[in-house]
Amino acid sequence: MVILWALMAVVMIGAVLGPVVLRRRRGIRQVLPGTPEAADPAQYGFRPQETLDIRLPGPDQDLLDVLDVVQRSQDWRAASQLLAGTDKHGELRWQRVQAFAGAASLELQQRPGEGGRWLRDWRAQEPKDAGGAAVHAEFLVQQAWRSSTAGSDDFRIILEEARSAVGQAALLAPGDPVPYISELAVARGLGYSPQEFDQLWLKILDRAPAHMGAHLVALPYWSEKWHGSRKQSMEFAEAAAARAPGGSLLSALPLFSLYEHLPEVNLVRNFFQSQVFTRALEGAQFAAQSAREDDPVLPHVRHLLVFFLVSSERWGEAMHQLVRVDGYAGALPWTMSDDPAAQFAVYRALAVGGYEANGGSPATLRG
């Protein structure tokens, strides 16, 4: 494990240079690209770092096509049509609302005063469009977290506006959990009491009790960093996993709880051999194996599995997850970095190097 953490430190320093790792039977180390023995991710069909899509955790071609049309034309109608045809109880609607809101927020960041005009037009021209209201509410949530410091006056003002927008969106779409999922981030930022949070959570459970996206957004509230503790976070995750229906990804939630508290657990000797880690990892692997391949939240689980499998030097298992999510870096833990694509590429290079250092090759992975 010492070798892994030392290597990670070296590789992360050189991430912007496009790290490549040397494959050897008894260890891995960073080398320059082009070195004869360098492990090359491209040999596995992995995409170049500069082409990784950081907007999404996995493929949604309909969404990407519509985003392209909307951002090119600044006409919101294609987005409205896509959301109107997306099941309001499913995970896909949540992800698409997030994606549209994130696109508008990034546009505004890049072109202040001008970017995201299509969303403003959408709300002005069709104020009763449920999709537009949901995207606007989520947009305000993302703006608060992206453009201001948590706890500041600006932060609270934007989140208060987001709370009002959530209420409007919920009235326009009875039964839709998405506006309330957006409010979960408002609750965390504004410091709802546990009783207030529970009331909000019950509204979501009434509408979509097994919604994995909702659980992912709710989990940080109960973490040590916000309004709970490591114990409360794990209890929330394990309770959800215990009631997970067949084929649900909720069994992976304890692994996300561990990630929420990673800075501390990394200090624990032999953490990656601990029972709590093994149980959480196995639960996430079981969830990934049992879920539908087209489950839109499955890539979120696979990305986190890559992170933990590489961290615990389980190279082969990491590679089998990588081949299923490569091309995308819009998920935890990569999105916590200023450069998600570079962070993903670092762990991918580590996985390839470790895999080949232990006798793996493109041929054995395909087999």
Side-chain angles (χ1 to χ4, degrees):
M1 196 62 62
V2 172
I3 293 174
L4 175 70
W5 294 116
L7 176 66
M8 280 188 175
V10 172
V11 173
M12 287 179 182
I13 291 171
V16 295
L17 302 177
V20 179
V21 287
L22 177 68
R23 53 180 181 262
R24 285 194 176 173
R25 179 67 60 182
R26 305 194 60 162
I28 53 179
R29 65 183 175 85
Q30 186 184 20
V31 295
L32 293 174
T35 301
E37 289 189 295
D40 183 5
Q43 292 182 356
Y44 295 83
F46 292 153
R47 284 172 48 177
Q49 176 180 322
E50 62 272 16
T51 69
L52 295 173
D53 194 323
I54 63 172
R55 296 170 296 178
L56 298 172
D60 183 350
Q61 195 57 51
D62 288 342
L63 172 63
L64 293 177
D65 290 343
V66 169
L67 267 176
D68 179 62
V69 169
V70 169
Q71 294 188 299
R72 185 164 28 85
S73 68
Q74 290 295 298
D75 188 330
W76 52 268
R77 280 172 286 197
S80 177
Q81 291 171 1
L82 182 66
L83 288 181
T86 305
D87 178 17
K88 67 182 180 181
H89 294 105
E91 307 277 359
L92 194 59
R93 183 177 176 84
W94 166 66
Q95 291 205 150
R96 287 175 170 176
V97 166
Q98 278 199 316
F100 284 127
S105 180
L106 285 173
E107 277 187 40
L108 185 60
Q109 185 180 56
Q110 293 162 0
R111 303 194 311 278
E114 175 62 23
R117 188 185 73 245
W118 55 269
L119 179 55
R120 294 193 293 276
D121 291 345
W122 190 356
R123 293 297 293 134
Q125 294 169 22
E126 286 292 339
K128 293 187 178 180
D129 186 308
V135 172
H136 180 239
E138 176 64 23
F139 165 80
L140 290 170
V141 170
Q142 294 193 27
Q143 276 295 100
W145 291 94
R146 179 176 283 124
S147 65
S148 53
T149 303
S152 67
D153 288 343
D154 287 347
F155 179 77
R156 295 188 66 85
I157 288 170
I158 299 173
L159 284 185
E160 289 287 0
E161 186 179 354
R163 178 157 57 178
S164 297
V166 161
Q168 295 171 15
L171 287 174
L172 290 171
D176 186 354
V178 170
Y180 297 111
I181 296 174
S182 294
E183 191 179 356
L184 291 171
V186 175
R188 176 160 41 104
L190 292 181
Y192 283 23
S193 70
Q195 293 75 24
E196 291 172 320
F197 189 89
D198 284 342
Q199 290 173 4
L200 170 60
W201 185 239
L202 285 174
K203 294 177 182 178
I204 295 170
L205 292 183
D206 285 345
R207 290 161 175 80
H211 199 294
M212 179 65 173
H215 284 78
L216 291 178
V217 181
L219 186 63
Y221 176 90
W222 296 110
S223 73
E224 230 167 28
K225 290 177 279 189
W226 290 99
H227 309 292
S229 64
R230 192 188 316 173
K231 181 175 181 290
Q232 287 175 294
S233 172
M234 187 56 77
E235 286 176 347
F236 175 82
E238 289 181 340
R243 65 172 183 269
S248 168
L249 289 165
L250 288 175
S251 297
L253 206 61
L255 194 65
F256 285 86
S257 178
L258 287 186
Y259 178 76
E260 284 290 324
H261 299 90
L262 195 58
E264 287 201 16
V265 298
N266 270 343
L267 301 178
V268 179
R269 179 184 289 267
N270 297 325
F271 166 70
F272 292 107
Q273 285 76 46
S274 69
Q275 185 178 7
V276 65
F277 171 72
T278 300
R279 187 169 60 245
L281 184 71
E282 289 177 351
Q285 289 178 309
F286 172 79
Q289 291 166 3
S290 304
R292 302 186 332 267
E293 277 300 319
D294 63 348
D295 190 314
V297 187
L298 179 55
H300 286 278
V301 176
R302 293 198 187 281
H303 280 288
L304 196 66
L305 278 170
V306 168
F307 172 80
F308 276 112
L309 289 168
V310 169
S311 299
S312 55
E313 301 182 15
R314 296 167 71 156
W315 314 114
E317 293 167 87
M319 290 293 286
H320 279 87
Q321 297 298 331
L322 274 168
V323 298
R324 290 165 172 81
V325 295
D326 188 69
Y328 301 88
L332 284 175
W334 329 122
T335 50
M336 299 305 293
S337 165
D338 291 335
D339 190 342
Q343 189 76 349
F344 175 83
V346 165
Y347 277 79
R348 186 177 64 183
L350 286 166
V352 170
Y355 183 63
E356 296 193 354
N358 287 276
S361 71
T364 59
L365 185 63
R366 284 194 296 270

